Amino acid sequence: MLEASHRYFHRAADLLDLAPKVREVLLTPNRVIKVEIVDETDDGKLMHYTGFRVQHNSARGPCKGGLRYHPAMDEDHATALANLMTWKTAIVDVPFGGAKGGINCDPNEMSRFEIERVTRRFVDRCKEVIGPTIDIPAPDVNTNADVMAWIMDEYSRHYGFSPGIVTGKPLHLFGSDGREEATGRGVMYALEEALRDRGRELSGSTVALQGFGNVGSHAARLIAERGGKIVAVADHKGGVSNEKGLDVPALVTWAAEHRTVAGFAGGDAFSGSEIIAWPADVLIPAALEDAIDGTNADQVRAQIVVEAANAPTTPEADTILARKGVLIVPDILANAGGVTVSYFEWAQNIQQFRWELDRVNAELEKSMRRAYAGVRELAKEKSTDLRTAAFTLAIQRVGRAALSRRSLRENIDLG
Ligand code: NAD
């Protein structure tokens, strides 16, 4: 996974004719943390997990990024995802650097109390190197507002009341209005912009979606509210389709109860993997990485792919999709709405001043549309695709900050 994110980086770095020394400065993580978590399960058995936190780059501000609880979590994943966070925060121009982390546990097999204990142990092991001005975690796959509340509580036990240590907290515990749906809302704005690039609009467009968790379900709801037709949804257990458009609020209720979209009566069942080749105008991967790879990219029938998930398209697939003329809105732009509202939450925590939902959503929309426009403009100027343009913009911003804070001997031109 790290290799893939480096390949995208080098594609943009080549365009900027960036010196090898600067590439190394920008690609090397500041800090890689690995902790062991050993505790008891509720019935007295041993549980032993490994936790990771990679702080990639803090040239533009404290490191920022999600915490993922998943059996596949490892240093490679954390480093690759931390890298992406550095570029993402630069594209939406929030004053953060990039980080990512997680624990290689499977919360689906754990009780709420076990998840809480593992979370508290993780914070205890990392507490000296995270903090509101150092590194601020947030939710990611299989973590949510409850997990963020435990992190805040554990950290505050050592350092005093510290709501700014995490974002994505519950509303009643200094979370921000609009944070939970922010990534999905940002995906919807990114899709609107992409459709405009293709001379179309949301109303009447058909959308196939992989992943119906935090990001996928909110994106689906907001797209449907604006007239888009969600014709197929798949998750880790299966899929459901309806060519007239799925009843998204009913599907949200079903998925909340059953922890899957599979079995929903308002459509036809299909095996989840077919979603990539679904006949729809738009494909939104909103689950895990590498969903579109060299084996299935050729089957994609959508004209637009909006990467709501992180790293859902392998470089091989990216080349195939480009050849087919598919417009790809890259992850570091498409899903940046989450970190944008995380920034609003952090700012509210620091200032101890609450923003109303209208303000959060208006600022988010402004930020997403501005970021998209900046990337689109650079793509035109450099005659390149949106992903390379997004990386180029990010490298310029992070590079300028990094080189102002630690000068190299020669003059570096960042374009
Ligand atoms: P989540 O845990 O809430 O949901 C994940 C969804 O993916 C679930 O519906 C799950 O069933 C599905 N899924 C898992 N494995 C699958 C598989 N093999 N095939 C099909 N579906 C599968 O996670 P989330 O927070 O919605 O995150 C989804 C993606 O968005 C991740 O790549 C994450 O890094 C990225 N992301 C999340 C945020 C955020 O604010 N939560 C922000 C930016 C990016």
Side-chain angles (χ1 to χ4, degrees), residues 66-360:
L67 264 194
R68 176 179 293 197
Y69 290 180
H70 194 279
M73 195 66 204
D74 58 17
E75 189 180 315
D76 183 80
H77 274 77
T79 309
L81 293 164
N83 243 281
L84 292 180
M85 286 306 299
T86 296
W87 316 127
K88 194 181 302 181
T89 50
I91 287 167
V92 281
D93 206 9
V94 292
F96 290 135
K100 200 80 172 195
I103 303 175
N104 64 357
C105 63
D106 184 358
N108 296 315
E109 304 290 319
M110 298 163 75
S111 75
R112 181 180 165 81
F113 295 110
E114 288 166 352
I115 300 171
E116 177 176 348
R117 277 206 301 284
V118 163
T119 301
R120 287 186 185 279
R121 289 252 179 242
F122 179 78
V123 175
D124 187 53
R125 300 277 188 270
C126 297
K127 62 183 183 299
E128 291 84 3
V129 287
I130 59 172
T133 59
I134 304 170
D135 178 6
I136 306 138
D140 193 71
V141 174
N142 291 331
T143 57
N144 55 20
D146 291 344
V147 175
M148 299 306 117
W150 299 326
I151 294 175
M152 174 190 145
D153 184 68
E154 188 64 28
Y155 186 86
S156 297
R157 285 180 51 214
H158 296 278
Y159 299 103
F161 181 66
S162 312
I165 174 60
V166 273
T167 56
K169 298 178 293 292
L171 258 186
H172 55 265
L173 203 64
F174 308 97
S176 176
D177 262 317
R179 170 60 186 92
E180 195 191 294
E181 65 169 46
T183 310
R185 181 172 281 275
V187 166
M188 182 263 293
Y189 294 136
L191 171 56
E192 279 187 336
E193 293 295 324
L195 284 163
R196 186 184 305 171
D197 284 345
R198 287 283 162 109
R200 304 192 52 157
E201 54 183 33
L202 205 46
S203 178
S205 293
T206 55
V207 178
L209 222 138
Q210 182 196 46
F212 204 66
N214 172 294
V215 179
S217 64
H218 285 297
R221 179 178 57 78
L222 291 161
I223 289 168
E225 277 173 12
R226 294 194 175 206
K229 216 192 281 180
I230 308 292
V231 289
V233 174
D235 66 17
H236 66 297
K237 290 212 169 135
V240 59
S241 72
N242 187 331
E243 62 181 31
K244 294 199 187 98
L246 289 157
D247 177 346
V248 178
L251 185 59
V252 168
T253 306
W254 171 272
E257 246 172 65
H258 299 84
R259 295 173 95 172
T260 176
V261 298
F264 177 62
D268 302 317
F270 65 94
S271 103
S273 59
E274 291 166 43
I275 194 78
I276 302 299
W278 208 264
D281 302 320
V282 178
L283 172 64
I284 304 184
L288 296 177
E289 55 280 353
D290 300 343
I292 312 173
D293 62 15
T295 66
N296 61 11
D298 223 12
Q299 296 157 24
V300 170
R301 286 196 259 177
Q303 276 308 299
I304 296 175
V305 171
V306 182
E307 294 184 340
N310 282 311
T313 312
T314 66
E316 199 184 350
D318 189 71
T319 306
I320 297 170
L321 294 181
R323 205 170 53 224
K324 284 161 67 85
V326 177
L327 176 65
I328 305 176
V329 187
D331 47 8
I332 51 175
L333 170 62
N335 69 32
V339 77
T340 302
V341 177
S342 272
Y343 163 53
F344 300 159
E345 179 175 333
W346 180 78
Q348 291 172 70
N349 293 156
I350 301 280
Q351 297 176 356
Q352 302 196 25
F353 183 84
R354 193 180 275 284
W355 294 13
E356 289 187 0
L357 180 61
D358 285 353
R359 179 176 178 193
V360 170

Side-chain angles (χ1 to χ4, degrees), residues 358-392:
D358 285 353
R359 179 176 178 193
V360 170
N361 286 344
E363 292 284 344
L364 170 63
E365 177 169 4
K366 218 173 10 178
S367 169
M368 285 301 296
R369 295 204 193 278
R370 192 171 44 212
Y372 195 110
V375 171
R376 177 198 280 135
E377 205 172 300
L378 195 61
K380 271 202 192 122
E381 186 190 315
K382 304 258 182 208
S383 302
T384 190
D385 56 283
L386 291 180
R387 191 190 311 279
T388 308
F391 268 88
T392 304

